[in-house]
């Protein structure tokens, strides 16, 4: 069920040991029409994002938001400030998957106090 106030649903889909103490982790993010991620956050290890359905706007490190459509991908550099992540449509749902390669004790996402 998506968060009623933001229209975002995050579902863990992958958490496997990789090698050299690393872990491969992934989450699926589903946005209802007009849905968004609340607040700003960072991915200490960076993020590899693939849009599966619809279109998503990403804004990183104060740059102009980038529009990604289904079938397109994006790399977010380690530690970049992720200030915009939202469905680009007010009528069509959007879904993406984000992959992370994490070091020991590292978390995929760190939320900023806004």
């Amino acid at each position: 069920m998506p968060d009623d106030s933001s229209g975002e649903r995050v579902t863990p889909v992958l958490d496997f040991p990789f090698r050299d103490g690393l872990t491969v982790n992934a989450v699926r993010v589903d946005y209802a029409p007009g849905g968004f991620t609340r607040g700003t956050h960072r991915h200490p290890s960076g993020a590899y994002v693939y849009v599966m359905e619809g279109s998503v706007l990403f804004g990183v490190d104060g740059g102009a938001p980038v529009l990604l459509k289904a079938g397109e991908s994006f790399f977010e550099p380690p530690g970049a400030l992720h200030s915009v992540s939202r469905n680009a449509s007010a009528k069509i749902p959007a879904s993406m998957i984000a992959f992370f390669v994490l070091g020991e004790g590292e978390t995929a996402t760190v939320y900023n106090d806004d």
Side-chain angles (χ1 to χ4, degrees):
M1 208 64 187
D3 177 306
D4 288 339
S5 61
S6 69
E8 176 191 48
R9 179 178 59 225
V10 178
T11 307
V13 294
L14 183 71
D15 191 17
F16 286 121
F18 182 49
R19 65 172 196 255
D20 302 326
L22 299 175
T23 300
V24 177
N25 178 273
V27 295
R28 177 180 174 140
V29 180
D30 293 292
Y31 290 120
F36 60 94
T37 298
R38 188 177 305 286
T40 60
H41 60 275
R42 297 176 191 274
H43 301 292
S45 65
Y48 302 88
V49 177
Y50 177 78
V51 178
M52 298 181 298
E53 174 186 11
S55 57
V56 180
L57 280 171
F58 289 95
V60 177
D61 277 345
V66 174
L67 175 67
L68 293 180
K69 298 175 184 175
E72 296 181 330
S73 59
F74 180 78
F75 173 69
E76 186 175 323
L81 180 64
H82 194 155
S83 57
V84 176
S85 186
R86 67 178 175 88
N87 188 337
S89 173
K91 297 180 180 181
I92 300 169
S95 298
M96 63 182 179
I97 191 160
F99 292 90
F100 311 96
V101 179
L102 305 174
E104 188 172 328
E106 197 170 31
T107 183
T109 305
V110 175
Y111 292 92
N112 294 354
D113 293 330
D114 293 340

